[in-house]
Amino acid sequence: MQMKAALSRGPRSSFSLETVELDHPRPDEVVVRIVATGLCHTDLFAKSTLPAAMGPAVFGHEGAGVVEEVGALVEDISPGDHVVLSYRHCGACRQCRGGHPAYCERAQQLNSSGRRPDGSTTITQNGGEVRAAFFGQSSFAEYVVATADNVVVVDKSVDLTLAAPFGCGFQTGAGAVLNVLAPDADSTVVIFGAGSVGFAALLAARASGVATLCAVDTVPARRALAEDFGAVALDPATQDVVAEIRDLTGGGATHTLDTTGIPAVIGQAVSVLRERGTAVVVGLGAPDVTVNIQDLMRKGKTLRGCIEGDSSVRSFIPRLLALHADGKFPVDQLVTRYPFTDIDRAVADQTSGSVVKPVLVW
């Protein structure tokens, strides 16, 4: 099938909307016509680290659309279903069997290899391979080949443009709070980085009844929005964040979340914890971070990572959509829509911080 896709031809290249060929689905695969795809920092991070010599690639891993075709072995998914796409997992390894598919032992192969597990590609151009199957989808395209394990059927009343980011960004932030930090009404929660992941975390904490919320970000518009959502907003460029948080929380936060991936900020997220507090990191960034182990040990603090909100997508995405339908997860204010032809403008706006969550629409 011929279709349009936004190709990346190198880490510093713009995206280019070009005609490519989508492979026929295998018996265990699903073809989805994409309605909308969220633009995520992970897409840009992956693009920036893939050498041009590796050839063209199609990214995109927050797709939502309508099922066009299903393979003979696919159950519980039918043509015409409205779906949100998320990450792939094998379903058979120890982590998947234990209820933690985000930590699937085959996650790298299934989500980031650029090919199907058998080595074939789902997209070609003029007979040449295109790196695709990103998170089992590569949804910067009009159509994708996905599999049952990363397809979540949603009610047809759901706005797919709004639902697309639930496949990664929104579930990452919300899941880090609801599934990992699990704060209660007496908790004090601080979010470092008020992007789409950070705001999803903030809204999830608010939905959990947390009264003391704080968001740390350098962008004035994002701090203003955080205040609209009931959080105290701090500017790390002009304020002593650690001192301000300790004063706000009466000595230290019970829970912190870093979405920035910046080592110094992660250090702050740990430093501002009170005794037995927990810091979770979800941001992609530098691989090495310096942490005061004496502080961690003496105060019984916890520092842990989290991928995809530690969620099982077929139960967690509907849970978040239900919270949204009840008015308890108002992510509508985070989304800015762009036609797919304006993908580079969406990237620029996200990078500058002028929008929180760009969503590309066909």
Side-chain angles (χ1 to χ4, degrees), residues 193-209:
S196 60
V197 174
F199 271 116
L202 190 156
L203 293 175
R206 192 179 74 165
S208 297

Side-chain angles (χ1 to χ4, degrees), residues 6-30:
L7 264 65
S8 168
R9 295 189 177 276
R12 289 174 293 278
S13 69
S14 298
F15 285 99
S16 176
L17 210 59
E18 301 181 27
T19 299
V20 296
E21 187 80 17
L22 184 70
D23 195 17
H24 297 290
R26 307 287 173 81
D28 62 342
E29 293 178 335
V30 178

Side-chain angles (χ1 to χ4, degrees), residues 22-341:
L22 184 70
D23 195 17
H24 297 290
R26 307 287 173 81
D28 62 342
E29 293 178 335
V30 178
V31 176
V32 177
R33 174 177 58 83
I34 296 298
V35 172
T37 306
L39 176 64
C40 180
H41 172 68
T42 302
D43 296 308
L44 304 183
F45 183 85
K47 174 179 167 57
S48 72
T49 58
L50 187 67
M54 297 292 287
V58 178
F59 298 106
H61 65 290
E62 293 183 347
V66 180
V67 175
E68 295 279 315
E69 185 178 353
V70 299
L73 299 179
V74 175
E75 300 178 350
D76 302 324
I77 302 171
S78 303
D81 282 346
H82 288 205
V83 296
V84 172
L85 306 180
S86 191
Y87 65 88
R88 285 215 61 194
H89 60 285
C90 73
C93 71
R94 178 164 42 189
Q95 294 300 324
C96 288
R97 294 196 314 271
H100 300 285
Y103 306 100
C104 174
E105 294 169 12
R106 295 179 61 196
Q108 179 69 23
Q109 177 195 33
L110 294 174
N111 293 290
S112 303
S113 68
R115 292 176 170 80
R116 293 182 174 103
D118 67 3
S120 63
T121 185
T122 57
I123 298 177
T124 57
Q125 186 181 53
N126 301 322
E129 290 188 350
V130 175
R131 292 182 65 86
F134 188 58
F135 282 68
Q137 49 184 285
S138 284
S139 51
F140 286 168
E142 288 183 296
Y143 295 85
V144 302
V145 168
T147 49
D149 64 276
N150 70 316
V151 173
V152 180
V153 178
V154 299
D155 192 88
K156 291 183 180 180
S157 64
V158 170
D159 180 352
L160 291 176
T161 302
L162 189 67
F166 282 72
C168 182
F170 290 168
Q171 84 166 342
T172 293
V177 170
L178 299 177
N179 298 331
V180 181
L181 290 173
D184 58 27
D186 294 327
S187 300
T188 52
V189 177
V190 180
I191 312 295
F192 290 84
S196 60
V197 174
F199 271 116
L202 190 156
L203 293 175
R206 192 179 74 165
S208 297
V210 175
T212 304
L213 291 166
C214 179
V216 181
D217 201 280
T218 59
V219 179
R222 293 185 175 186
R223 293 198 303 274
L225 183 57
E227 290 175 345
D228 289 343
F229 286 142
V232 174
L234 299 177
D235 180 2
T238 63
Q239 295 175 275
D240 183 339
V241 169
V242 172
E244 293 280 356
I245 292 171
R246 285 177 177 159
D247 182 62
L248 170 70
T249 59
T254 59
H255 304 82
T256 61
L257 176 70
D258 175 72
T259 72
T260 71
I262 300 171
V265 178
I266 295 172
Q268 289 180 330
V270 175
S271 175
V272 300
L273 289 172
R274 67 177 56 183
E275 290 77 7
R276 300 182 67 247
T278 299
V280 168
V281 292
V282 298
L284 287 171
D288 298 319
V289 176
T290 299
V291 175
N292 185 331
I293 295 298
Q294 294 294 329
D295 175 56
L296 206 70
M297 178 184 70
R298 289 172 179 167
K299 293 189 177 180
K301 297 179 180 180
T302 299
L303 170 64
R304 63 155 291 180
C306 176
I307 293 291
E308 295 290 354
D310 200 358
S311 68
S312 296
V313 296
R314 286 203 167 182
S315 59
F316 192 63
I317 288 176
R319 177 184 173 188
L320 291 182
L321 288 170
L323 281 175
H324 173 263
D326 289 341
K328 297 178 180 178
F329 194 60
V331 292
D332 314 59
Q333 299 178 60
L334 308 180
V335 169
T336 303
R337 293 163 170 80
Y338 294 79
F340 249 98
T341 51

